[in-house]
Amino acid sequence: MKHEFYFTYKRLKLNFEEALKNNYKIITCKDYIHWKQNKTNEYILVNRVDIDLKCEKAKIIADIFNSLNIKATFFIRLHASEYNPFSFENYLCLKYIKETGHEIAYHSEIIDQSVIWNETPEDCLRRDIRILNEMLGIKVVGVSSHGGLTGLNNLDFWKINKPSDFDLHYEAYDQEPAFNLFNESFYISESNYQWKCYKNGILKKNDKRSFSEHLKDNHPVIYSTMHTDTFFSEHIYES
């Protein structure tokens, strides 16, 4: 029996090539709002990438998408101890992602910030969006809530707030009618090097099938979330 690693950049590219062959239109989170307002019969794959630990891996993934002429939404942290988005190389990576046509959005940790800094999450969010806009010369319209080590749930903020309150169009899991993507799609993601999936917001227990295997089920709307740090060139232990 031949063994091979699944989460390689090569396999990632093959997955998206297969999605295109299966007639999926691959779009960003921002594009999904427009598509929802003007629905067609096309199969849709909303392509989300969370930059949790390494910006340089995000650039590699952006290059893969560029080679396939598809776009993604890349969510950036501003307060990660693992990377500084303002560093020389990381800024170049993020600038490249923006300039090659991908959506830049914010990977939020505002509950963590508010508790650690004794500031309101509202102030933290407004400041972070303003900084990210200024940093890259963009208009951020989307946020996804990051789950870190604090044990706090950054999604709690959105139980009592709406994206529109902060001049945003969506939060990645919000239930506002204009978005509500998580609850109106087949959601696929990888966690600890295993696949997980949800159908209309409900976890499909014990379904560990891969991205490409789910494509065969012809879901009309797929919401795909990838994490840059899951993927590698040859093996998981490479530097």
Side-chain angles (χ1 to χ4, degrees):
M1 177 184 295
K2 181 181 179 181
H3 296 279
E4 59 180 326
F5 295 120
Y6 191 94
F7 293 100
T8 62
Y9 296 123
K10 179 180 179 181
R11 182 66 69 88
L12 178 66
K13 183 176 182 180
L14 289 173
N15 283 338
F16 280 90
E17 286 176 339
E18 191 166 345
L20 292 170
K21 289 177 183 176
N22 280 271
N23 297 314
Y24 277 94
K25 182 178 181 180
I26 299 173
I27 62 175
T28 66
C29 293
K30 180 173 67 174
D31 291 337
Y32 174 74
I33 296 173
H34 177 75
W35 177 86
K36 192 173 182 181
Q37 293 171 344
N38 305 273
K39 281 188 178 180
T40 65
N41 292 325
E42 298 169 294
Y43 283 5
I44 298 296
L45 193 158
V46 182
N47 188 13
R48 167 184 161 190
V49 180
D50 289 355
I51 309 177
D52 283 354
L53 304 178
K54 294 182 180 180
C55 289
E56 60 267 30
K57 288 197 168 191
K59 184 177 183 294
I60 294 170
I61 291 174
D63 271 332
I64 291 171
F65 294 154
N66 292 339
S67 72
L68 299 174
N69 197 30
I70 60 177
K71 303 305 177 188
T73 301
F74 287 82
F75 287 91
I76 301 170
R77 297 171 69 191
L78 288 183
H79 308 289
S81 58
E82 294 85 358
Y83 71 85
N84 172 14
F86 290 92
S87 74
F88 290 110
E89 281 304 310
N90 287 342
Y91 178 78
L92 282 176
C93 290
L94 298 176
K95 185 179 177 183
Y96 174 81
I97 290 168
K98 181 199 77 168
E99 291 180 346
T100 53
H102 302 279
E103 180 189 4
I104 297 288
Y106 176 46
H107 209 19
S108 157
E109 299 169 275
I110 52 178
I111 297 294
D112 299 334
Q113 293 166 235
S114 69
V115 173
I116 294 169
W117 296 341
N118 194 28
E119 298 178 356
T120 70
E122 292 84 0
D123 286 345
C124 291
L125 177 59
R126 290 190 180 97
R127 181 176 58 225
D128 286 351
I129 293 297
R130 185 172 67 250
I131 288 170
L132 189 52
N133 284 340
E134 183 68 22
M135 172 187 177
L136 290 168
I138 57 176
K139 173 69 171 66
V140 168
V141 299
V143 168
S144 70
S145 298
H146 177 69
L149 299 176
T150 64
L152 302 173
N153 188 346
N154 289 294
L155 270 172
D156 286 346
F157 179 80
W158 301 104
K159 292 179 179 178
I160 55 174
N161 293 281
K162 296 180 180 180
S164 58
D165 297 336
F166 300 88
D167 197 25
L168 297 168
H169 295 177
Y170 68 89
E171 197 285 331
Y173 298 104
D174 81 51
Q175 299 181 30
E176 294 298 303
F179 196 68
N180 199 27
L181 176 57
F182 183 66
N183 293 308
E184 296 180 0
S185 68
F186 188 83
Y187 178 88
I188 308 172
S189 185
E190 29 62 50
S191 178
N192 296 319
Y193 299 94
Q194 289 188 344
W195 293 103
K196 63 179 179 180
C197 61
Y198 295 73
K199 186 172 183 180
N200 298 329
I202 299 173
L203 176 66
K204 303 287 287 183
K205 294 181 180 179
N206 301 317
D207 189 343
K208 303 297 184 184
R209 287 180 296 158
S210 69
F211 182 97
S212 58
E213 288 175 307
H214 286 301
L215 292 174
K216 298 172 184 176
D217 293 337
N218 297 318
H219 300 286
V221 178
I222 291 178
Y223 184 11
S224 165
T225 297
M226 305 289 178
H227 300 83
T228 55
D229 310 286
T230 299
F231 296 92
F232 44 80
S233 294
E234 301 296 336
H235 61 84
I236 191 173
Y237 297 112
E238 65 195 18
S239 59

